Amino acid sequence: MKGTKNLSFVLEGVQKLKFEDREVPQLQDPYDVLVRVKFTGICGSDVHYWNCGQIGPFKVDQPMVLGHESSGIVEQVGSKVTTLKIGDRVTMEPGEPCRRCDACKVGTYNLCPEMAFAATPPYDGTLAQYYRLPEDLCYQLPDNLSLEQGALVEPLSVAVHLVRQASVSPGSSIVVFGAGPVGLLCCAVAKAFGASTVVAVDIQQGRLDFAKRFEATSTFLPGAGSALDNATRLKEENGLSNGCDIVIDASGAEASINTGIHALRAGGTYVQGGMGRDEVNFPITAACTKELVIKGSFRYASGDYKLAIQLLAAQKVKAQELITNIVKFEEAERAFQDVKAGAGIKILIAGPEE
């Protein structure tokens, strides 16, 4: 693999992966920077595109570089870049908005209809030797954070956005459905925001065991009963007789969504972050009669990346504990297979060797 220009890990089609030597991205604007990618985490969306070729309306119609959870070292800077220099260690926010629409102007640029997001068709991702981004989407890492930790800022920012959407405050009781990387990080961020009760819910006991060692104050393993039965047991087992203040769903599973609605107290807040089927059955009567606040959450927006970095640097969130394995670039396909098989929590892929 030596002597390549821009070695990239490419999804050709459903379950068809290959390494491909591509051209090094060119700076398109005087405010652009070129980053030599050092570490990339594998996200569930990457695996889903590989396995199914499509997520909602986004379909892989042409070869696409995978990956969007990355850190690296600045290799080149545009003529007007002032905040970064060659050699700086950065974490990359992998979505470039238009900056002109109403959503962008009010700071909710994650809702930009023209968003160019890495590894979302038709845009290439970051699993390559080099990646180009505007300087304001590359955040310099503090000296006490490693590049490996830098690759975790993206999923941590998703969790930060979810917790901010939920308006978690000191003393809040929160139930998080799904103990994958984002759900676990939601538990950690909620604790950092002052939540006193953080219950992690999952159908895999091993993940619940990890959640309890990580940041959950308690855990819950759903049974075969109805959503209402599981919600009743969840509340009883965790001292939430009137229901919890907040539910965050990071699973996308219909059973979790329904259980979460029933687990909330009257006037509670429900935030949907996990993506499963496009449509699910939903307990609308319970949502209405309890006057629940129901919100969606999509990626991250203004301030989320900066806060994620601050939480890591202050050791208020120890995201590095989620890293199960780091594999070489040439072993990327095996890493994808491991993630699909549910092995570990978070697997990182090192950048191509120089």
Side-chain angles (χ1 to χ4, degrees):
M1 290 189 180
K2 293 183 179 180
T4 57
K5 295 180 181 178
N6 186 31
L7 190 65
S8 305
F9 189 58
V10 178
L11 176 65
E12 283 192 292
V14 177
Q15 297 184 2
K16 292 182 179 179
L17 298 165
K18 71 172 183 178
F19 294 100
E20 182 178 298
D21 192 13
R22 295 191 166 196
E23 292 297 319
V24 175
Q26 300 298 305
L27 303 187
Q28 301 174 7
D29 185 275
Y31 294 100
D32 280 353
V33 299
L34 184 69
V35 178
R36 181 185 288 271
V37 181
K38 286 298 184 181
F39 293 99
T40 300
I42 302 176
C43 176
S45 65
D46 294 316
V47 176
H48 197 85
Y49 279 125
W50 165 52
N51 202 41
C52 303
Q54 184 173 356
I55 296 178
F58 301 105
K59 186 176 181 181
V60 181
D61 291 321
Q62 60 189 25
M64 177 184 77
V65 179
L66 290 166
H68 60 269
E69 303 178 359
S70 293
S71 64
I73 298 174
V74 175
E75 185 87 1
Q76 182 182 357
V77 298
S79 60
K80 292 188 178 181
V81 172
T82 59
T83 62
L84 295 170
K85 64 183 184 301
I86 293 172
D88 281 346
R89 302 174 316 117
V90 297
T91 182
M92 298 182 281
E93 183 173 348
E96 190 170 350
C98 78
R99 305 177 188 270
R100 295 180 297 275
C101 67
D102 289 342
C104 285
K105 287 181 177 180
V106 299
T108 56
Y109 58 83
N110 56 321
L111 305 180
C112 173
E114 301 299 323
M115 173 68 76
F117 197 85
T120 296
Y123 303 104
D124 286 321
T126 60
L127 266 171
Q129 191 154 12
Y130 298 102
Y131 193 77
R132 179 208 62 82
L133 269 177
E135 80 175 297
D136 63 314
L137 296 178
C138 292
Y139 301 79
Q140 188 169 358
L141 291 171
D143 291 340
N144 68 329
L145 292 185
S146 67
L147 284 163
E148 290 89 340
Q149 288 172 296
L152 299 173
V153 174
E154 198 277 347
L156 179 55
S157 296
V158 173
V160 166
H161 192 68
L162 276 158
V163 173
R164 292 175 78 178
Q165 285 287 87
S167 299
V168 174
S169 59
S172 294
S173 59
I174 177 171
V175 177
V176 179
F177 286 81
V182 170
L184 291 166
L185 290 170
C186 282
C187 292
V189 175
K191 284 281 290 293
F193 276 36
S196 57
T197 300
V198 181
V199 184
V201 182
D202 204 280
I203 58 174
Q204 296 183 40
Q205 185 61 51
R207 294 218 162 186
L208 293 180
D209 293 340
F210 182 90
K212 190 64 183 294
R213 295 194 303 270
F214 186 53
E215 290 289 358
T217 59
S218 59
T219 62
F220 180 75
L221 181 69
S226 68
L228 183 57
D229 290 341
N230 275 309
T232 299
R233 186 164 62 87
L234 186 158
K235 290 186 286 186
E236 290 174 349
E237 292 180 7
N238 292 280
L240 300 167
S241 57
N242 295 322
C244 59
D245 299 320
I246 294 162
V247 162
I248 290 177
D249 178 71
S251 74
E254 182 177 303
S256 295
I257 295 167
N258 291 338
T259 303
I261 293 295
H262 290 303
L264 279 162
R265 64 166 173 79
T269 297
Y270 179 92
V271 182
Q272 184 64 42
M275 293 186 182
R277 296 203 310 269
D278 289 344
E279 296 183 8
V280 298
N281 290 316
F282 184 80
I284 192 69
T285 300
C288 289
T289 56
K290 291 200 285 187
E291 289 198 352
L292 300 182
V293 176
I294 299 175
K295 296 181 179 181
S297 187
F298 188 51
R299 294 174 181 155
Y300 26 75
S302 183
D304 292 329
Y305 248 71
K306 288 183 178 179
L307 180 53
I309 293 169
Q310 290 168 359
L311 290 171
L312 281 175
Q315 286 289 293
K316 291 183 178 179
V317 173
K318 298 179 181 179
Q320 66 273 15
E321 294 181 10
L322 271 60
I323 299 174
T324 305
N325 194 16
I326 300 175
V327 303
K328 294 181 179 180
F329 195 79
E330 56 264 31
E331 298 173 352
E333 184 166 357
R334 180 176 65 81
F336 268 70
Q337 292 169 346
D338 288 345
V339 173
K340 181 184 176 183
I345 302 295
K346 175 62 70 175
I347 296 176
L348 302 186
I349 299 172
E353 294 182 2
E354 300 177 20

